[in-house]
Amino acid sequence: MESCGSTAISSSSSFSSILSIQGPSSNVGRKFSKNCMHPQHLSCPLPKPFLQLNGRPKCFLYQQRSAYLSSRTYKGPISAEKQSWDLGRFLKTLYFFNGPPSLAKVVEFIIGKLSGPSPEESAKKMETSSFILVAGATGGVGRRVVDNLRKKGLPVKALVRNEEKARRMLAPEIELIVGDITKESTLAPEYFKGVRKVINAASVIIGPKEGDTPDRAKYSQGIKFFEPEIKGASPEMVEYIGMKNLINAVKESAGLRSGKLLFGFEGQSSKELSWGALDDVVMGGVSESTFQIDWTGGESGKPTGLFKGIVSTANNGGFTSIRTRNFSTPEDLSAYDGLELRLNGDGRRYKLIVRTSTDWDTVGYTTSFDTIGGQWQSICFPFSSLRPVFRARTASDAPAFDPSNVVSLQLMFSKFEYDGKLNPTFVEGPFELPVSSIRAYIKDPITPRFVHVSSAGVTRPDRPGIDLSKQPPAVRLNKDLGFVLTFKLKGEDLIRESGIPYTIVRPCALTEEPAGADLIFDQGDNIMGKISREEIARICIAALESPYACDKTFEVKSVVPFSEPFTVDPENPPPEKDYNIYFKTLKDGFTGKESLEQSAIAV
């Protein structure tokens, strides 16, 4: 476990799971949840269900919504005075998680308890693969990015519009995704499952009005040497709408800097889950717990979830827990590094259990954590710290935890740890654990997940006091070229606002010269010059691994003037650059837009 908030504590190395009794949802179960949880049918036909509000029985199903629906809090008592086993509560537990229990399932469960742990966990690890997506992979920069990634042995897929053209230009082993960023319907979500990082070299096509050679020789010289026009889709479609479509396609799998909220309340956002009690009643015990929303019990009087109950060792019991129903769609958390809980501790040791199988009785990937009494704290659990546990025993033959297929969460307070160990903080009686949020997080230091090749000059067409006659052709011809630079800037803004960790590279005029010249990195959108496409490809790849490049926007050019060609000796090439030397000089917040605040011109 590691800390990931303002308050850090150390975790116990102990892990545990006592029992799992959740199975695949049945049609009957779905019918029950739909009917019982509807606002018109909140009174549950079952007597004294384990989820209660204001002392009255309710069937309680949370749904994600933008506003809080109620300010009612739990006031009814939880009692463990009864020392005989409660068959009714046992059946209600089964009912909540699995629909009406059939006799066959009950018999199977009892036989399983008597016969001991199953020799093998049935759930198999889902085979997942992560890769770097290159958009605009057949362009001058894009194809060099693909080739450099391939040479480094990194997994790469190319997003291309024309499959035949891509097959001619790219190495045969490169996997293609055929789609057009200007057409949202071609960017099916399943194409992008496994995308962890993106290099976007897609750009509007600008070519000579009089035409070009088959190998685009005039284009390669730059628009300084020909009269340009837009070929194909407009700048608005490619640079703005296309950027929006691409971000939406990869956002879920690339991950967000702030993490992914699975449950709870953060600022104006909320995400709720269907939690149910899973106590030692399933083993003959009498402990009892519940989960509800306390609308004013969180930090600064904000809402929080509340896991509370009474734990007893009577009848050989000694644990309480709350567990979610299986998610309707498994959560893919493979873009993240772990789970973070924000909670108000009571000095006791609890467990977090994460499941990747919908089976009734299955391995739970488990970690124990200690809390500090009376203090709100954030506790992080790296996925690598989750230990497979089955019926309180370490499942050494279980597959590794698969973050791409999370199907349920569970919190537990128990007398037992695992493999015969006991919880040193266990005390019988009442307990309360407010939990305001559970989210997936990206560990520090965060590196870029989305690198975008933009252009120097994007802020200059509308900059007050600028002498356009001294600017590059793209700046002077911005309006004639469909406001290409203006829409490139709007596309940049979409990236900065997306929440995805990013780098925006603004090259000066691109050339076909080799990489290797000394470079100048700058911010504020002021420099002019040239730089090779090969150099830009290498910069993009280096940025993916550098925390110093994260959330930075910068311009780059070589020190070689336009009037001087740059060549290298193939027998004695220049050494590879350490681009971190340049990235370390960059500062946050410099985009060149600062000078536009007084005179923004809408398109």
Side-chain angles (χ1 to χ4, degrees), residues 131-138 156-163 166-167 170 174-181 186-195 246 249-250:
F131 60 91
I132 300 169
L133 178 72
V134 180
T138 59
V156 57
K157 293 185 182 180
L159 177 61
V160 299
R161 291 181 301 155
N162 187 322
E163 183 176 4
R167 291 296 179 203
L170 303 177
I174 298 299
E175 185 173 345
L176 305 182
I177 299 175
V178 180
D180 186 340
I181 62 172
T186 68
L187 306 178
E190 59 267 24
Y191 295 168
F192 302 96
K193 187 174 179 61
V195 172
L246 180 60
V250 304

Side-chain angles (χ1 to χ4, degrees), residues 392-512:
R393 298 288 177 184
T394 301
S396 57
D397 60 344
F401 176 70
D402 178 10
S404 71
N405 194 53
V406 173
V407 299
S408 71
L409 302 173
Q410 185 175 356
L411 290 170
M412 178 179 286
F413 179 52
S414 175
K415 170 184 175 181
F416 311 99
E417 286 288 303
Y418 69 99
D419 297 336
K421 297 178 182 179
L422 298 178
N423 181 353
T425 70
F426 179 77
V427 178
E428 292 190 72
F431 70 91
E432 290 190 2
L433 184 70
V435 180
S436 64
S437 67
I438 302 174
R439 70 179 184 94
Y441 70 90
I442 300 176
K443 68 180 179 181
D444 291 326
I446 297 176
T447 55
R449 302 291 179 91
F450 195 111
V451 175
H452 173 57
V453 182
S454 182
S455 174
V458 292
T459 69
R460 297 179 212 174
D462 299 329
R463 186 180 295 179
I466 195 169
D467 185 351
L468 290 179
S469 66
K470 297 181 180 179
Q471 291 298 311
V475 178
R476 299 197 306 270
L477 299 173
N478 180 57
K479 182 177 180 180
D480 295 333
L481 294 175
F483 294 97
V484 58
L485 295 180
T486 305
F487 281 112
K488 280 182 178 289
L489 181 60
K490 290 167 71 69
E492 288 185 8
D493 288 339
L494 291 175
I495 300 172
R496 283 187 278 263
E497 296 163 2
S498 69
I500 304 173
Y502 69 87
T503 298
I504 297 174
V505 184
R506 292 171 172 172
C508 291
L510 293 165
T511 73
E512 293 295 295

Side-chain angles (χ1 to χ4, degrees), residues 134 136-137 139-146 201 453 510 533-534 536-537 540:
V134 180
V141 173
R143 66 175 180 267
R144 290 172 169 87
V145 170
V146 172
V453 182
L510 293 165
R533 292 179 173 88
E534 176 66 26
I536 291 298
C540 290

Side-chain angles (χ1 to χ4, degrees), residues 518-534:
D518 290 337
L519 302 177
I520 295 175
F521 278 52
D522 197 32
Q523 292 179 280
D525 195 18
N526 296 303
I527 62 174
M528 294 178 280
K530 67 176 181 177
I531 188 169
S532 80
R533 292 179 173 88
E534 176 66 26

Side-chain angles (χ1 to χ4, degrees), residues 109-349:
F109 168 72
I110 294 174
I111 292 175
K113 274 180 56 61
L114 295 176
S115 61
S118 62
E120 183 178 351
E121 164 61 21
S122 61
K124 300 298 182 184
K125 177 175 172 59
M126 179 184 296
E127 290 298 325
T128 59
S129 58
S130 61
F131 60 91
I132 300 169
L133 178 72
V134 180
T138 59
V141 173
R143 66 175 180 267
R144 290 172 169 87
V145 170
V146 172
D147 192 51
N148 277 278
L149 289 170
R150 180 185 63 83
K151 290 176 180 177
K152 289 177 176 289
L154 297 172
V156 57
K157 293 185 182 180
L159 177 61
V160 299
R161 291 181 301 155
N162 187 322
E163 183 176 4
E164 182 180 353
K165 176 183 176 182
R167 291 296 179 203
R168 292 196 309 266
M169 298 181 67
L170 303 177
E173 65 268 29
I174 298 299
E175 185 173 345
L176 305 182
I177 299 175
V178 180
D180 186 340
I181 62 172
T182 69
K183 300 175 182 178
E184 185 180 11
S185 61
T186 68
L187 306 178
E190 59 267 24
Y191 295 168
F192 302 96
K193 187 174 179 61
V195 172
R196 296 295 168 261
K197 298 182 179 182
V198 178
I199 296 178
N200 179 34
S203 176
V204 67
I205 299 175
I206 299 176
K209 284 185 176 180
E210 67 273 17
D212 205 345
T213 63
D215 59 355
R216 302 188 71 190
K218 293 182 181 179
Y219 165 80
S220 297
Q221 296 175 5
I223 63 174
K224 181 177 180 179
F225 302 103
F226 60 81
E227 186 177 1
E229 69 176 2
I230 298 297
K231 306 285 187 178
S234 69
E236 180 180 15
M237 287 300 301
V238 177
E239 306 291 349
Y240 181 64
I241 295 175
M243 179 67 75
K244 184 182 298 185
N245 293 338
L246 180 60
I247 289 172
N248 289 338
V250 304
K251 193 173 185 178
E252 184 72 17
S253 57
L256 301 179
R257 181 187 311 104
S258 60
K260 182 175 184 177
L261 187 65
L262 301 179
F263 164 78
F265 308 88
E266 291 183 346
Q268 299 301 313
S269 300
S270 67
K271 175 75 178 293
E272 302 179 17
L273 295 172
S274 178
W275 297 89
L278 185 54
D279 303 321
D280 57 19
V281 67
V282 300
M283 300 176 66
V286 298
S287 301
E288 188 171 2
S289 68
T290 187
F291 183 82
Q292 68 256 348
I293 301 300
D294 184 343
W295 297 102
T296 59
E299 295 175 271
S300 303
K302 295 180 180 179
T304 183
L306 182 61
F307 171 33
K308 64 183 294 185
I310 296 177
V311 64
S312 169
T313 58
N315 298 355
N316 296 315
F319 76 87
T320 62
S321 77
I322 52 167
R323 177 171 164 177
T324 65
R325 281 194 174 106
N326 284 344
F327 304 148
S328 57
T329 301
E331 290 282 1
D332 182 357
L333 304 181
S334 48
Y336 301 94
D337 298 297
L339 294 176
E340 177 190 356
L341 273 63
R342 184 69 180 170
L343 54 84
N344 191 353
D346 59 3
R348 303 184 187 187
R349 178 176 295 174

Side-chain angles (χ1 to χ4, degrees), residues 1-2 7-15 341 343-352 367-381 412-414 417 422-426 433:
M1 185 185 70
E2 63 187 40
T7 304
I9 69 168
S10 299
S11 170
S12 160
S13 60
S14 301
F15 309 88
L341 273 63
L343 54 84
N344 191 353
D346 59 3
R348 303 184 187 187
R349 178 176 295 174
Y350 292 84
K351 300 172 189 172
L352 171 68
T367 184
S368 297
F369 59 96
D370 295 321
T371 65
I372 301 174
Q375 180 174 316
W376 282 97
Q377 56 197 117
S378 294
I379 307 177
C380 287
F381 308 95
M412 178 179 286
F413 179 52
S414 175
E417 286 288 303
L422 298 178
N423 181 353
T425 70
F426 179 77
L433 184 70

